[in-house]
Amino acid sequence: MIPATQDLTIYQVATWSQKIVWRTGASRALVNLAGYSARMQARSEANSATVGAELSTANGKITLAGSSGEITLSVTATDSAAFPAGLYVYDLEHVCGVVVTRVLQGNL
């Protein structure tokens, strides 16, 4: 699967939320996300070892809405204040056991 590309903007010291609906195949069927997890990392460069921001279902910054295919990314004002200004790259991954699928990527 080739991940979709979408640039996102988060303003410092502001609450931010982005809803994404994941569809797949020629029929654009909704992906059932029930029971799975997701993670997203932002870095100054794709090959950088330093993670500037991390969102996940484990830390409550990503919510998966089951059969509706909805993925909601959320950042509090406190979180965005701690994120240094600049241009980053990110990837959003769906995790199913040991299988990791990159769903979305882009600039942040």
Side-chain angles (χ1 to χ4, degrees):
M1 178 182 131
I2 297 172
T5 300
Q6 180 178 347
D7 293 341
L8 304 173
T9 302
I10 299 174
Y11 294 101
Q12 285 187 301
V13 197
T15 301
W16 175 82
S17 181
Q18 177 75 41
K19 186 180 291 186
I20 298 156
V21 177
W22 186 12
R23 296 175 179 270
T24 189
S27 66
R28 307 291 296 146
L30 294 169
V31 175
N32 187 345
L33 302 170
Y36 298 108
S37 62
R39 62 188 182 205
M40 177 179 149
Q41 292 184 335
R43 302 168 188 265
S44 59
E45 297 178 10
N47 60 356
S48 174
T50 304
V51 176
E54 187 161 13
L55 287 70
S56 69
T57 48
N59 68 17
K61 294 179 171 103
I62 298 179
T63 305
L64 304 179
S67 62
S68 69
E70 291 181 3
I71 302 169
T72 303
L73 313 172
S74 301
V75 175
T76 66
T78 302
D79 292 336
S80 68
F83 193 53
L87 180 62
Y88 295 84
V89 294
Y90 78 91
D91 57 5
L92 173 64
E93 298 173 329
H94 172 259
V95 182
C96 176
V98 297
V99 177
V100 177
T101 304
R102 185 178 296 181
V103 177
L104 189 65
Q105 63 188 14
N107 293 314
L108 179 68

